[in-house]
Amino acid sequence: MWGCRSAGVRLKLLGLLQPCWLRTRCRTRVVVNLQRFSTSLASSPRPPWRVLFLGTDQFAVESLKLLTSNRSSSKKIVENLEVVTLSDDVPVRRFAQQNQLPLHSWPPEDVDGRFDVGVVVSFGVLLPERLIKKFPHGILNVHPSLLPRWRGPAPVFHTILHGDTMTAVSIIQIRPHRFDVGPILNQELHQVSKNCTAEELGAALATKGAHLLIDTLSTLSERIANKREQGQIGATFAPKINASMSWILWEEQTCDQIDRLYRAIGSRIPLRTTWMDSTVKLMDFVGKCYISLSDQRTTVIPGSVSFQKESNTLAVCCKDGWVGFRTVVLKKRLTAVDFYNGYLHQTLQRNTPGQTAEGLFVSRKGRTEAHQMRDNSPM
Ligand SMILES: *[C@@H]1O[C@H](CO)[C@@H](O)[C@H](O)[C@H]1NC(C)=O
Ligand SMILES: *[C@@H]1O[C@H](CO)[C@@H](O)[C@H](O)[C@H]1NC(C)=O
Ligand SMILES: *[C@@H]1O[C@H](CO)[C@@H](O)[C@H](O)[C@H]1NC(C)=O
């Protein structure tokens, strides 16, 4: 294979080759080599590597970007780079096209003997064992969590949702049949900053992960020799996020939980509740509120809404306090003051003591919805 590569490079420099002729010739040589050295897949033990990259979304693009730019230095660790993506119009496909990287569709054909190592980042498809075996150094995965915590498709959402203060990026080797269970080659801790959203955390981990991937590839043989199996202790699963999580349960959820829910999903799926049988989307969350009630209600029950004039905020009572929103969508977008003047004001006036249902946001029970989301789907 080495012979084939250097011959290809030399001939290309001379400008003598048709690319398809080169490919045919290479394949023939590889077959011969594989037969001759059938006990081991002849691949260099050192970089630069021939890399096949599989990915889809913006999180994956960050890794692909660094691999792409690394090809052009004298100390490069990437020699050849080709890309597999799923058929849709996804960020990885656009990046590959803009940068003239050879593109394969899924499943890739013609992989035998052409790559040293694979890299898969947020691809969403289990790779079959027979494909993994075609890479002498295996297939690496960049996973944005402190594995074995948050295996599965939505680690960043769940990191925020559960209020983890520490996370990581992990570089693992892919195992067949199950997601995110392979041995850890490299792991770098990352402190989750206060108040950050899933988008912000995802972006920070994408950058960190890309650098950690390059670092891992530059010392790959040592990393593989020292790989660490994931234990079962502390293993958790991060299922896909779906829209049914966006219905707030005022009686059950605390200010903290609503805050985390908003930061986890709020920019993609608005938090929701019901108001007199209509769906209300709750936007522009401002966090926990400390309020003094100006109206005459004596008992405050979860779901109660209070308009805070000074801050132009709607405060809603939840399990352990009040949380504020600046905007709602009830058919159309309304600021807090518009909602108060147009809706809340009348219903509060109509209410007699002990009968406050019309001033209430009501939790919707039995929530089901099919809409599913992965962490890193286009942001
Ligand atoms: C490629 O990665 C290697 C190893 O980290 C590094 O030494 C080299 O400077 C990188 N080249 C570019 C162009 O980023
Ligand atoms: C987090 O947000 C709350 C309001 O939502 C704010 O009072 C607090 O200062 C913020 N903390 C940081 C560290 O940004
Ligand atoms: C949505 O997610 C919740 C929580 O993970 C889960 O219990 C529910 O089954 C999911 N619904 C659908 C339709 O996938």
Side-chain angles (χ1 to χ4, degrees), residues 1-10 44 48-50 79-80 116:
M1 279 183 280
W2 274 105
C4 171
R5 287 163 86 186
S6 43
V9 170
R10 238 180 290 123
S44 168
W49 310 115
R50 298 165 304 165
E79 168 99 66
N80 266 337
D116 302 304

Side-chain angles (χ1 to χ4, degrees), residues 193-196 259 263 285-288:
S193 47
K194 272 226 174 79
N195 285 3
C196 80
D259 179 60
R263 287 186 287 114
F285 181 68
V286 296
K288 198 175 169 97

Side-chain angles (χ1 to χ4, degrees), residues 270-318:
L271 301 190
R272 290 180 294 175
T273 188
T274 56
W275 162 264
M276 300 177 70
D277 295 329
S278 302
T279 296
V280 175
K281 293 177 186 165
L282 303 162
M283 324 284 281
D284 301 328
F285 181 68
V286 296
K288 198 175 169 97
C289 296
Y290 299 90
I291 71 163
S292 54
L293 288 173
S294 56
D295 55 53
Q296 302 305 308
R297 285 176 288 166
T298 45
T299 53
V300 178
I301 58 173
S304 299
V305 188
S306 170
F307 172 59
Q308 301 291 294
K309 196 171 177 188
E310 325 74 60
S311 55
N312 191 12
T313 301
L314 292 169
V316 190
C317 181
C318 62

Side-chain angles (χ1 to χ4, degrees), residues 133-207:
K133 281 185 167 158
K134 289 178 179 172
F135 298 82
H137 299 285
I139 300 183
L140 312 187
N141 171 235
V142 181
H143 187 83
S145 86
L146 184 50
L147 287 172
R149 189 163 171 78
W150 303 133
R151 292 169 174 169
V156 177
F157 282 135
H158 288 271
T159 299
I160 300 286
L161 202 55
H162 290 78
D164 295 2
T165 54
M166 190 60 83
T167 184
V169 277
S170 306
I171 311 292
I172 62 172
Q173 228 175 7
I174 288 289
R175 287 261 167 82
H177 314 306
R178 283 179 65 199
F179 279 113
D180 309 326
V181 296
I184 295 171
L185 304 188
N186 211 343
Q187 194 166 56
E188 188 177 339
L189 291 175
H190 179 89
Q191 178 120 32
V192 181
S193 47
K194 272 226 174 79
N195 285 3
C196 80
T197 63
E199 276 67 29
E200 291 160 352
L201 181 60
L205 293 177
T207 307

Side-chain angles (χ1 to χ4, degrees), residues 158 239-245 367-372:
H158 288 271
K240 283 180 182 175
I241 296 291
N242 63 56
S244 77
M245 303 177 68
R367 308 154 300 165
T368 52
E369 232 150 297
H371 180 186
Q372 295 232 332

